[in-house]
Amino acid sequence: MAVSVVKGYSDEDAWRDYKKKYKLDYNIAGDNGKRDRARKKNFLAQMEQIKRHNSKKDNGFFQELNEFSVLRPWEKKRFLGVNASMVPSAEFLKSIPVFDLQSRQLPPSLDYRFHSCLPAIRRQGQCGSCWAFTAITPLEFSKCNITKSPVMLSEQHLVDCDTSNNGCNGGWYMDAWNYLKSKSGSAKRQLYTYTARKGACKFKSSMVGAQVSTYGYVQSKNTAAMQSALQQYGPLAVAINVINSFFSYGGGVYDDPACDGPDVNHAVVLVGWGNLNGVDFWVVRNSWGTGWGLSGYGRILRGVNRCNIESYPAFVKAA
């Protein structure tokens, strides 16, 4: 078998170091190394794709190896979680009133990443619960802004108990807020911990850490309205269309036009905007842990509805 070598560092070296970094062991008794070879094939193909992408001079973003680099496409889908059947129609979106912009000045940048009301990055794991994480973070931020004290709420409460959504099989953040508003509120995270799998509902009203006052959509495909809403309410829920290049995003401004189109399959939280080397971007908070992107955050091209990020923005306000 031919082994490629770059400056004394072979594919075998790269594979060994990758497994060591992520504490992976694919050796199974009696397997003869079959599983390891299969994962290595995925890894080398991804590494080659990343090298090709990063070698282009006009890239707006760069890619890197991470925990997704050995996964098959169907395995990566487990880390998404927007239920396409729950996404509002284009006709409905046209009915949303224009956000009040009259008295609001938009600064060149806004970044909530280091705000005291924004909790640390979390991991949804192999459970299609991004909708729950995207519903919870803006509610936590809003509640903290009222009480001036950080609050941590439970995604697992939604995964287990919200029957309008589908647990680890996907959902929609607006339906999650509707559930929380119609019930007693959102459970505290420490009283209803995350397991990355759907279980029996254990919610009790004594667990409540925040309640929903109001929620709604911001006008679709209106960047100024989204910026104004970010200033007024804090982080927003948005939906995007994730393709393979997004899984290996490492930095820069993500601008892969291949993610454009009518669909969305993942929910993230919008936490700011800015400009990098003349390129306008949104700052998004993902639910894939700190090993993805910019310590769990990413920048996506702003103003052209890249990956549908400007199609379904929504806000929530805590009681």
Side-chain angles (χ1 to χ4, degrees), residues 254-257 259-260 300-301 304-310:
Y254 184 78
D255 61 354
D256 191 340
C259 71
D260 292 345
I300 297 181
L301 189 64
V304 295
N305 200 25
R306 183 63 80 233
C307 308
N308 273 325
I309 193 171
E310 292 151 14

Side-chain angles (χ1 to χ4, degrees), residues 73-90:
W74 63 268
E75 291 173 315
K76 292 178 179 179
K77 288 182 180 179
R78 292 175 176 171
F79 293 85
L80 304 176
V82 159
N83 188 330
S85 67
M86 303 173 80
V87 177
S89 68

Side-chain angles (χ1 to χ4, degrees), residues 224-281:
M226 291 170 67
Q227 290 170 295
S228 186
L230 271 167
Q231 285 186 293
Q232 180 170 338
Y233 296 108
L236 304 178
V238 293
I240 60 174
N241 183 38
V242 166
I243 59 174
N244 192 55
S245 63
F246 192 76
F247 284 101
S248 56
Y249 167 83
V253 178
Y254 184 78
D255 61 354
D256 191 340
C259 71
D260 292 345
D263 302 321
V264 289
N265 57 14
H266 188 48
V268 293
V269 179
L270 204 64
V271 297
W273 72 81
N275 181 284
L276 181 67
N277 300 322
V279 179
D280 291 336
F281 63 80

Side-chain angles (χ1 to χ4, degrees), residues 90-196:
E91 285 303 310
F92 172 80
L93 292 174
K94 290 178 183 177
S95 70
I96 298 167
V98 178
F99 202 84
D100 180 17
L101 304 171
Q102 292 181 355
S103 60
R104 195 169 295 277
Q105 294 295 316
L106 298 176
S109 65
L110 177 70
D111 194 340
Y112 287 127
R113 281 180 294 174
F114 309 106
H115 195 288
S116 60
C117 284
L118 197 67
I121 287 287
R122 296 170 183 162
R123 294 172 59 90
Q124 70 181 79
Q126 296 187 49
C127 167
S129 56
C130 62
W131 59 272
F133 283 79
T134 299
I136 287 297
T137 297
L139 183 59
E140 290 173 323
F141 190 96
S142 179
K143 181 65 176 179
C144 173
N145 256 348
I146 294 170
T147 64
K148 307 306 177 186
S149 177
V151 60
M152 297 179 69
L153 303 174
S154 173
E155 296 88 2
Q156 192 65 40
H157 172 201
L158 289 170
V159 171
D160 288 350
C161 306
D162 180 4
T163 56
S164 65
N165 283 300
N166 298 309
C168 287
N169 293 318
W172 191 241
Y173 38 83
M174 288 286 282
D175 292 71
W177 292 331
N178 182 64
Y179 165 80
L180 294 176
K181 184 174 174 62
S182 66
K183 302 299 181 180
S184 301
S186 177
K188 295 178 181 177
R189 200 167 207 264
Q190 66 268 31
L191 299 179
Y192 207 142
T193 55
Y194 189 68
T195 65

